[in-house]
Amino acid sequence: MAREIEIEEVETRRVPGRFGRLFALVSWPSFLVAAVAETVFFSLINPRELYLLGEPVHFSPLATYTIGFFGFWCV
């Protein structure tokens, strides 16, 4: 008297919408370009020798690299 149970398969994969695809198409290449731009910029310029509005920057080198990366990424 075994009873068979029917299991219905449900599609669980999410397909990104138009905005999600556009965001991925823009953000990933810009991320890669920002990484290259930061590498080139900071290979030529020491972060301890940067000046902002005539005053030396008092951030740590890691903070300077991080701010620089996000600046390049926004551009």
Side-chain angles (χ1 to χ4, degrees):
M1 304 218 104
R3 246 175 126 180
E4 285 189 36
I5 299 175
E6 290 186 31
I7 298 175
E8 181 180 335
E9 291 186 25
V10 178
E11 182 72 30
T12 57
R13 185 177 67 124
R14 288 185 53 172
V15 178
R18 182 176 179 194
F19 177 75
R21 275 187 258 134
L22 181 62
F23 179 76
L25 286 172
V26 171
S27 64
W28 180 242
S30 65
F31 175 86
L32 296 176
V33 170
V36 171
E38 181 185 25
T39 303
V40 170
F41 182 81
F42 284 115
S43 68
L44 300 173
I45 297 174
N46 186 354
R48 295 186 187 268
E49 297 175 358
L50 284 177
Y51 283 83
L52 182 64
L53 300 174
E55 296 292 322
V57 176
H58 296 292
F59 297 125
S60 71
L62 182 61
T64 305
Y65 293 139
T66 304
I67 293 167
F69 174 76
F70 283 115
F72 283 122
W73 197 7
C74 288
V75 170

